[in-house]
Amino acid sequence: MRNRFIPTSCLLGALLAGASGCDALPTPTDQNFPVELPAPDARGAAAELTATGCSILTTTAVTASGDDGAGSVAANSQDDNLATRWSGPGKGAWLTMDLGASKSVAGTTVAWHQGNTRQNSFVISTSTDGTTFTQATSGTSALNTAAQTYAFSARQARYVRITVNGNSVNDWASIAESRACAQQTTPPPTPTPTADSGPALPRLPYLQSVGQTSALVAFRSGVSCTPFVRYGEGTDLSRTATATVAGWRHAVKLTGLLPGRTYGYSVEACGSVTGVRAFRTASATGTPRVRFTTMGDFGTGGSSQKAVIAMMNKPEWRGEFLVALGDNAYSSGTEQEFQDRMFTPMGTLLREVPVFPSLGNHEYVTNQGQPYLDNFYLPTNNPAGTERYYSFDWGNVHFVALDSNCAIGLASSDRCTATAQKTWAEQDLAATKQPWKIVFFHHPPWSSGEHGSQLSVRRNYAPIFEANGVDLVLTGHDHNYERSKPMKGDAVAPSGTRGIPYIVVGSGGATLRPFAGSQPSWTALRDNTTYGFMDVVVDGGTLTARLISSTGAVKDTLTLTKTLPATVTAALKAQSLETQAVSGPVDDPARAPEGLRFDQPLPPADRLEDTADHDEPARQ
């Protein structure tokens, strides 16, 4: 039942409208049920609503979430009289038109009460059964008194709902007239938004689990709603993907994509519309050229991180995707640290460049990395169904992400077991037929930095890497850059034998640290004065990895070569792999999740103590 009192906003609304309906306490009526409407010819002599661009469908009944208790009832929205209105209290108030039967619906016309002074934020959704509604469009009203038509792709529906999330004056919904529209003979073209509009999203879109035929667009909204994404190849946004559930945290899956193509997309959520951005799907298996960037230990929100990201986002250095090597959010991997020290400073990049991360030791401080798991939507192609370790293909390269925290015993058995991860990694690397294999995780098996080599990881995994032809291992943890010579076992690979280079790229933004001692004989190059990232290009039988500083200088170059079997490459071209990912946290659509709103942003984690490590098992 509706609250039986007159809020102060009702008094304000009455004064603005020049009415006296809020001066005395009315007898409340419950409007949360269908109100049968008179036939069109029985509505009096008032002129019919002028609805430009709308072939009006007849509404047989109307439902509202509530009204102001002063006569501004739902039926007023269908009486062809712009002097009357429906008014509903609170953000999320809704008005539903029942068309009497399922019809082809392609738009909605709304005449907003005092539309020249109040800009309304709204969502329009449709339903066939009156229970489950799917968002059709959203936006903000234009500041004028004319009836405004909002077109969307045609669909069968009996019910059309307008949900209002407040206006620029107050939190009320106030509609003079509304109509559902039939499909037009020549529907207007879908506009392509070039800039963000409407209420700012608390977190802008970021790309997850991008594969050859699908991708996830993740983001967060300020209110609960069921958003959708317009997308298509190039600048064509004619396709639509809708979230499966309402809430505040969203990951909308785009399907039916083609490998190695560029797609544009725009998010429409709770009245917010994001400007079009583009991303590239994973290259088809067998594609010879792949380019990606990689770095670790960057999540500070500070000036060094921002300088590295700015250089990484320049056209000459931007990769098709980013491989993140852990310590993505200092100092403890909390929800706010992910928001303020990763997604905010990296927002521009992550709207167009997918990120494939791994867990750092700092993420493990908070509930063994649970906020990390809640913020990312990663592949789950392992028997445990976990995002802590996974693999994916991009072109001719097979990538394996490991949780080195689990490997050294930091994880509880219900989260991750070292044996299960090791068994999976061995099987996964043995099964792939890709000619290039790259493994990435946080704790380095070879390092002369502050932490030194993590021998437990080396003892357990190096034999697997060597037996299965891994070409390169990427890590972080030590806040410096260091590249080993090709290694085999516990030493440099003998001349004429195959070894694996291990590279520490802990230079993404956290304060750099001095090396613990003199340069060891197995180190090819090390640098603790350069903030930067690696640019990696695989082109046919050549892999070139370069350390790029935050000023754009090339500080190191590694080149690996191999002969690719033509028969294997040809066979791989027929494969097309879909990336499977978890759906992520599911919110109660009626209750905002706790812990997502923060009083004020965090300061940068730019001090040595901000990125100091917590206790972890000793090197073995």
Side-chain angles (χ1 to χ4, degrees):
M1 294 290 290
R2 187 174 34 80
N3 292 331
R4 297 176 179 271
F5 67 92
I6 304 290
T8 56
S9 55
C10 177
L11 297 173
L12 175 61
L15 291 171
L16 290 173
S20 59
C22 290
D23 293 340
L25 186 67
T27 301
T29 58
D30 188 353
Q31 291 294 327
N32 196 18
F33 56 86
V35 177
E36 296 296 329
L37 300 174
D41 58 1
R43 295 181 185 177
E48 289 188 359
L49 175 72
T50 301
T52 303
C54 176
S55 177
I56 295 177
L57 294 169
T58 300
T59 301
T60 60
V62 66
T63 301
S65 56
D67 61 66
D68 62 4
S72 300
V73 296
N76 290 349
S77 67
Q78 307 295 315
D79 64 359
D80 282 328
N81 185 350
L82 294 175
T84 64
R85 69 183 185 276
W86 162 71
S87 290
K91 290 184 178 180
W94 51 261
L95 178 78
T96 299
M97 295 173 284
D98 180 356
L99 306 180
S102 182
K103 299 179 181 179
S104 179
V105 183
T108 304
T109 289
V110 181
W112 299 95
H113 172 62
Q114 293 190 352
N116 61 332
T117 60
R118 305 180 183 192
Q119 192 164 33
N120 297 269
S121 174
F122 66 89
V123 175
I124 298 173
S125 51
T126 62
S127 174
T128 57
D129 59 8
T131 301
T132 303
F133 283 82
T134 300
Q135 182 171 326
T137 190
S138 63
T140 53
S141 63
L143 284 171
N144 61 56
T145 56
Q148 299 167 27
T149 298
Y150 309 109
F152 46 79
S153 57
R155 75 279 312 277
Q156 289 296 123
R158 174 173 173 173
Y159 303 90
V160 179
R161 173 171 291 181
I162 306 167
T163 301
V164 185
N165 294 307
N167 61 62
S168 54
V169 173
N170 56 41
D171 289 344
W172 280 63
S174 199
I175 293 175
E177 295 291 314
S178 66
R179 301 290 187 273
C181 308
Q183 185 174 9
Q184 304 298 299
T185 304
T186 306
T190 302
T192 301
T194 57
D196 299 343
S197 62
L201 291 174
R203 181 178 297 172
L204 290 168
Y206 56 106
L207 296 157
Q208 293 284 272
S209 290
V210 173
Q212 296 180 16
T213 59
S214 65
L216 291 176
V217 178
F219 53 93
R220 294 187 176 178
S221 56
V223 295
S224 176
C225 65
T226 306
F228 67 96
V229 178
R230 298 189 189 276
Y231 69 102
E233 194 167 352
T235 58
D236 174 19
L237 301 187
S238 60
R239 301 167 66 180
T240 303
T242 304
T244 56
V245 293
W248 285 260
R249 293 174 286 188
H250 312 282
V252 180
K253 188 172 185 178
L254 313 185
T255 58
L257 310 181
L258 296 174
R261 303 288 186 89
T262 299
Y263 287 86
Y265 74 95
S266 172
V267 171
E268 298 193 19
C270 321
S272 301
V273 180
T274 65
V276 175
R277 295 294 187 273
F279 68 94
R280 191 175 184 275
T281 51
S283 299
T285 307
T287 302
R289 195 175 196 278
V290 175
R291 185 180 190 184
F292 68 96
T293 52
T294 184
M295 65 177 178
D297 306 86
F298 53 84
T300 67
S303 56
S304 298
Q305 176 201 27
K306 292 176 182 177
V308 171
I309 294 166
M311 185 57 61
M312 183 185 292
N313 204 26
K314 288 183 177 294
E316 61 267 32
W317 297 119
R318 179 188 284 201
E320 298 163 40
F321 57 97
L322 167 65
V323 167
L325 305 175
D327 285 0
N328 311 281
Y330 285 103
S331 60
S332 302
T334 66
E335 182 65 44
Q336 185 172 8
E337 286 169 351
F338 270 106
Q339 176 67 25
D340 292 355
R341 293 173 177 170
M342 180 176 178
F343 288 104
T344 297
M346 299 179 70
T348 300
L349 176 73
L350 298 183
R351 287 178 76 166
E352 299 190 279
V353 177
V355 58
F356 290 92
S358 57
L359 275 155
N361 59 297
H362 281 267
E363 278 82 73
Y364 253 71
V365 174
T366 301
N367 196 14
Q368 297 197 0
Q370 190 58 48
Y372 167 98
L373 299 174
D374 291 342
N375 278 275
F376 295 113
Y377 303 82
L378 304 174
T380 54
N381 53 346
N382 57 71
T386 179
E387 299 171 271
R388 294 177 187 270
Y389 51 91
Y390 59 93
S391 63
F392 66 96
D393 288 344
W394 201 290
N396 267 350
V397 186
H398 183 68
F399 292 87
V400 175
L402 298 177
D403 180 356
S404 56
N405 302 274
C406 176
I408 63 177
L410 287 181
S412 60
S413 59
D414 62 323
R415 306 294 182 92
C416 179
T417 63
T419 300
Q421 178 177 228
K422 182 180 176 181
T423 299
W424 169 82
E426 186 168 19
Q427 294 173 346
D428 180 87
L429 286 167
T432 183
K433 303 301 182 185
Q434 296 285 52
W436 290 96
K437 302 177 186 181
I438 297 175
V439 181
F440 62 98
F441 48 89
H442 189 61
H443 296 82
W446 291 93
S447 172
S448 64
E450 181 180 65
H451 297 98
S453 301
Q454 177 45 257
L455 298 183
S456 178
V457 176
R458 188 197 304 176
R459 298 279 188 269
N460 282 283
Y461 283 92
I464 296 174
F465 300 160
E466 293 165 11
N468 291 283
V470 169
D471 298 286
L472 181 64
V473 175
L474 300 168
T475 64
H477 199 38
D478 276 325
H479 297 177
N480 51 251
Y481 173 84
E482 185 169 19
R483 173 169 59 87
S484 79
K485 297 174 181 177
M487 308 304 294
K488 186 174 183 179
D490 287 325
V492 176
S495 177
T497 63
R498 187 180 185 279
I500 302 174
Y502 292 79
I503 305 182
V504 178
V505 195
S507 51
T511 303
L512 299 174
R513 297 169 177 165
F515 287 106
S518 59
Q519 179 169 313
S521 60
W522 51 261
T523 296
L525 186 143
R526 66 180 191 174
D527 183 338
N528 69 335
T529 63
T530 297
Y531 290 99
F533 61 93
M534 289 209 81
D535 167 68
V536 184
V537 177
V538 177
D539 195 351
T542 302
L543 180 152
T544 305
R546 296 181 291 181
L547 173 63
I548 310 301
S549 75
S550 58
T551 61
V554 178
K555 306 293 286 188
D556 184 36
T557 300
L558 166 69
T559 302
L560 303 176
T561 59
K562 62 166 53 179
T563 301
L564 303 187
T567 54
V568 173
T569 302
L572 289 172
K573 288 183 179 180
Q575 298 182 15
S576 180
L577 303 178
E578 171 108 2
T579 301
Q580 297 180 344
V582 296
S583 58
V586 177
D587 300 328
D588 178 352
R591 183 187 299 273
E594 295 183 3
L596 297 188
R597 298 183 184 277
F598 315 110
D599 294 334
Q600 56 186 4
L602 295 170
D606 274 345
R607 303 171 302 172
L608 280 172
E609 55 265 35
D610 295 327
T611 57
D613 294 308
H614 302 265
D615 293 338
E616 62 183 53
R619 291 181 287 120
Q620 302 174 11

